[in-house]
Amino acid sequence: MPLTPYSGPLGRRGAAHLLRRATYGPTIQQIKAFSGLTAAQAIQQLYHQALPATPPPVDPDTNEPWVLTGVTDPDKMEFEYQQYFKRWFIGQMMSAGVPAGQSLAYSAREKLVFFIHTILTAIAEKIGSSRAMYYQNQLFRLYALDGVASAVVPAAKLNFKELTKKVSVDNAMLNLLDGTINIRGGNENYGRELLELYSIGRGLETSDVTAGLGPGDYFYYTEQDVQAAAKVFSGFQFDDQFAVIDPDTQLPRGKVRGSITNASAHDNDPKQFSVRFGDAVIAPDPLLLNGTNPTEESALDEISRFIDLIYDQNETANYICRKIYRFFMYHEITDTINTNIIQQMAATFRANNFKIQPVIEELL
């Protein structure tokens, strides 16, 4: 049966235990302050406080926010700016410069940002752009506290499923997994990683556990699904001007090849998925096409419908909740933990329209 919520005062050891899991580097004074709280009161303080704005990183020699302006020192290399970004990100984790009364809540939010990075991973050397890394980090920050109303993201779109849609055309992700060279489904890297690492997972690694699986297929998706996914995600490229702004997040994202009225590198044929996805077909919405040509809107709509299809599979919630458990609790998941805890977490995830914050709050 599910775990019973802890209702008594945390005490010093309990407060230290909770704050080590939920934040970075709690002080003795902060632990003492939380020791008299119940778990529910502590969670309220950590995840439901108004937080100060996040200042952008600056070039320490000029004090200018190059990530916003794009203006860099001609004598400096891009890797130096990537180092500035990483130092800034660590500073956010440690809530540097944040007032004492808000520092723990700020740190808790930043731990959620880092957690999202452990699912939707990034490699600085491959991305090759400190600005793209910054805007992806800001994207994750917008969605980290998805259980609290946002002044930016519409309420209906503030959840992990919608974040998965946004990151699919994020500039950093386009560079990382070769989406920027995916023309008409010719590059499968992002589609494969989305299924394998970012959403539903591979499941049992054998081709003979059930009828219908062939060489290269996995339990929860097949090679056919990877190939169809590559076609869904085709036609976008890195925007080095950071000029294309997503209407929901107000952050830069990638752009379509061609134009918004003729996304010429997008595969406009119907995409046929396997029995693992109910033999679903994703075809362009004729109301969004420009004659017979794909548009930016029709391509984004296909991405949205495919990710909806992924999240319609029960295993997707289970997979993401196992990620949450391993990050905040422990790496080993036994059958008992899977039955009594992971399944309850997944039910909470689905019931809250795929928001991760309610799941993490309940777990902690």
Side-chain angles (χ1 to χ4, degrees):
M1 59 188 300
L3 291 176
T4 302
Y6 185 74
S7 58
L10 290 171
R12 186 161 177 171
R13 289 184 64 187
H17 192 59
L18 173 63
L19 293 177
R20 279 196 300 268
R21 292 186 187 277
T23 71
Y24 294 104
T27 66
I28 292 175
Q29 291 76 19
Q30 289 169 331
I31 291 169
K32 286 180 178 178
F34 268 66
S35 63
L37 302 178
T38 65
Q41 290 169 334
I43 293 300
Q44 187 69 23
Q45 287 203 25
L46 290 175
Y47 294 116
H48 294 269
Q49 276 202 56
L51 298 175
T54 305
V58 297
D59 183 329
D61 295 321
T62 65
N63 206 36
E64 291 297 320
W66 84 95
V67 291
L68 303 181
T69 65
V71 177
T72 57
D73 186 333
D75 293 328
K76 290 182 178 177
M77 303 292 287
E78 168 59 25
F79 79 87
E80 295 178 82
Y81 286 100
Q82 292 181 27
Q83 291 300 317
Y84 296 157
F85 163 76
K86 293 174 187 176
R87 293 170 193 169
W88 168 85
F89 186 23
I90 292 172
Q92 301 312 300
M93 295 180 191
M94 302 309 295
S95 55
V98 176
Q102 297 172 306
S103 64
L104 271 180
Y106 196 95
S107 179
R109 193 268 311 277
E110 292 304 302
K111 196 153 194 175
L112 296 181
V113 174
F114 182 68
F115 165 67
I116 295 173
H117 273 290
T118 70
I119 300 181
L120 306 173
T121 52
I123 302 172
E125 292 80 4
K126 181 70 184 293
I127 293 168
S129 167
S130 55
R131 295 187 75 193
M133 291 164 58
Y134 167 74
Y135 284 120
Q136 184 186 77
N137 187 260
Q138 284 290 82
L139 176 67
F140 294 173
R141 192 166 284 106
L142 277 181
Y143 283 84
L145 293 174
D146 58 10
V148 178
S150 169
V152 179
V153 183
K157 295 187 176 183
L158 188 63
N159 57 64
F160 200 80
K161 180 172 75 171
E162 293 295 324
L163 172 59
T164 308
K165 297 176 184 180
K166 299 302 183 187
V167 81
S168 296
V169 290
D170 166 68
N171 276 307
M173 188 63 77
L174 286 168
N175 262 7
L176 175 66
L177 291 173
D178 302 315
T180 197
I181 57 173
N182 180 8
I183 297 173
R184 297 185 188 87
N187 190 291
E188 299 174 357
N189 281 2
Y190 180 69
R192 187 177 299 278
E193 297 304 299
L194 173 67
L195 291 167
E196 180 177 342
L197 299 177
Y198 299 165
S199 60
I200 197 169
R202 297 185 301 189
L204 298 174
E205 297 186 26
T206 178
S207 61
D208 61 356
V209 285
T210 185
L213 292 182
D217 290 344
Y218 293 105
F219 192 78
Y220 292 111
Y221 64 88
T222 70
E223 282 298 298
Q224 179 183 347
D225 298 317
V226 172
Q227 293 159 12
K231 296 174 182 178
V232 168
F233 292 116
S234 62
F236 287 84
Q237 63 180 325
F238 185 85
D239 176 18
D240 60 3
Q241 299 301 305
F242 299 91
V244 178
I245 304 300
D246 183 271
D248 295 323
T249 66
Q250 296 301 302
L251 292 172
R253 61 164 172 79
K255 61 182 180 180
V256 289
R257 290 184 178 275
S259 68
I260 62 173
T261 57
N262 184 9
S264 56
H266 179 72
D267 189 308
N268 209 36
D269 292 331
K271 290 81 177 173
Q272 175 69 59
F273 291 87
S274 77
V275 66
R276 288 291 175 265
F277 290 96
D279 295 316
V281 176
I282 293 179
D285 184 340
L287 297 178
L288 302 179
L289 297 177
N290 178 18
T292 59
N293 292 328
T295 63
E296 178 188 70
E297 189 176 9
S298 74
L300 289 171
D301 176 68
E302 288 186 33
I303 291 173
S304 178
R305 283 188 283 146
F306 175 47
I307 290 171
D308 286 344
L309 185 64
I310 294 173
Y311 276 78
D312 285 343
Q313 314 306 308
N314 282 337
E315 179 57 23
T316 301
N318 297 337
Y319 181 84
I320 292 171
C321 286
R322 285 194 289 269
K323 293 270 191 180
I324 293 172
Y325 183 89
R326 287 187 171 114
F327 183 85
F328 286 96
M329 296 295 155
Y330 192 61
H331 70 275
E332 183 180 3
I333 296 178
T334 63
D335 289 343
T336 300
I337 290 172
N338 185 65
T339 299
N340 293 342
I341 301 177
I342 302 301
Q343 296 304 315
Q344 180 184 354
M345 292 168 64
T348 299
F349 192 41
R350 296 185 198 99
N352 285 275
N353 194 27
F354 303 108
K355 294 179 182 292
I356 61 170
Q357 185 181 344
V359 180
I360 293 168
E361 289 189 14
E362 183 177 74
L363 180 65
L364 293 177

